[in-house]
Amino acid sequence: MTAYASVREALESGRGVLLDGGIGSELVRRGVRWRWHGLRTDPDRVQALHEEYIAAGADVIRTNTFQLNRRTYLNVFRSPEHMRHIGAPDLETRAATLLRKAVELARAARERSGRPVAIAGVGSPLQHCFRPDLAPSEREARAEHEEIARALAEAGVDFLLFESMNTVREAVAAVEAARVTGLPVWVSFVLGPEGEILSGEPLADGVKAVERAGAECVLVNCAPPEDVGHALARVRDGLRGGYAHIGKFDPPSWKFEFHPQWTGTEAWPPERYAEVAARWREAGALVVGGCCGTTPDHIRALRARRERA
């Protein structure tokens, strides 16, 4: 059985799937400088974190590729011409290089662990995940997400996960673009404080839209545990799980030199998080895991709680 076939069987049987926890936030907490996603400076520590999540019991590990795209580099210049004029000579290809490196590290972690976990190739909004007003046009989004999806697929991921999507338009474009790879596609929406998609669009409508576009599994993430629980209790049709962030967002921003900090995470120790996630499972969630601020200890607690159930 392939790694993804095992995940699909776990969903269909109702046994459930356990995702890993925070990658970027945990690397920064451990002192990894976020330049190049840590993929050039600290690849051994990126791989080690994947290995820790596998050892903690995750069924799926996610590539360290959140918001890793050409646009993020281009955004600090006036234009592509300006970037070519004063920027480092590899900026136009750097995102693709790092995407491949991230998948390589995840695959190496899986091989070293000896566990056949599935690897999710992570895509995300092309602009800042908390700024839906900056979302690109459907045409732009489809072209850029296809480029990212193809790179992840060619590098060897088992399926694609577009997480923290903040508009229906971009989420649908991403799914449609990614389907050219032939890989299964999942989508996770970031929630706003009112319980809908951060753009203000109804969550139930977003779930239906990405399912029509071909998403195999739809989740919610990047919101406090209480918000994730409310969404799962309210939108039962098509929504299959969620993973929350813990603590409070502390910018400067999500850029290559500056990864945001998460403060106040001590209010959510692993056992408390696992207790709340158990209620998500009681509400019908089949997929749970952790977002920013969560650690291998949180995933270990989720696994232990599930095994006691």
Side-chain angles (χ1 to χ4, degrees), residues 152-163:
L152 290 168
E154 290 168 4
V157 301
D158 299 302
F159 69 104
L160 297 164
L161 168 57
F162 293 98
E163 63 180 9

Side-chain angles (χ1 to χ4, degrees), residues 12-13 52 58 111 119 193 195 232 235 267-268 271 277 284 293:
E12 292 174 349
S13 69
E52 286 188 45
E111 182 176 356
I119 297 173
L232 292 170
V235 180
W268 284 94
E271 285 303 322

Side-chain angles (χ1 to χ4, degrees), residues 112-274:
R112 184 168 179 178
S113 76
R115 283 190 60 219
V117 298
I119 297 173
V122 169
S124 54
L126 296 172
Q127 298 284 11
H128 196 292
C129 61
F130 291 156
R131 291 292 303 276
D133 56 304
L134 300 179
S137 69
E138 185 177 344
R139 179 184 60 80
E140 291 175 308
R142 183 173 286 108
E144 293 181 48
H145 280 298
E146 180 175 336
E147 178 182 305
I148 294 165
R150 285 187 184 277
L152 290 168
E154 290 168 4
V157 301
D158 299 302
F159 69 104
L160 297 164
L161 168 57
F162 293 98
E163 63 180 9
S164 301
M165 301 307 289
N166 56 28
T167 66
V168 175
R169 179 182 73 237
E170 187 175 357
V172 168
V175 174
E176 291 175 347
R179 290 187 66 194
V180 304
T181 66
L183 293 178
V185 182
W186 291 18
V187 170
S188 189
F189 285 109
V190 58
L191 295 170
E194 69 291 327
E196 306 295 356
I197 298 169
L198 190 58
S199 60
E201 298 166 285
L203 177 58
D205 291 353
V207 172
K208 292 175 183 176
V210 294
E211 284 187 325
R212 286 194 298 268
E216 188 165 316
C217 184
V218 188
L219 311 169
V220 291
N221 77 299
C222 216
E226 301 92 336
D227 294 3
V228 170
H230 292 156
L232 292 170
R234 185 172 56 84
V235 180
R236 299 295 185 100
D237 188 12
L239 193 57
R240 308 192 77 179
Y243 48 112
H245 72 228
I246 56 175
K248 298 292 185 179
F249 181 71
D250 187 9
S253 69
W254 205 298
K255 292 184 182 294
F256 289 97
E257 291 287 353
F258 304 106
H259 191 288
Q261 305 292 315
W262 288 84
T263 61
T265 55
E266 65 278 359
W268 284 94
E271 285 303 322
R272 183 187 181 200
Y273 187 80

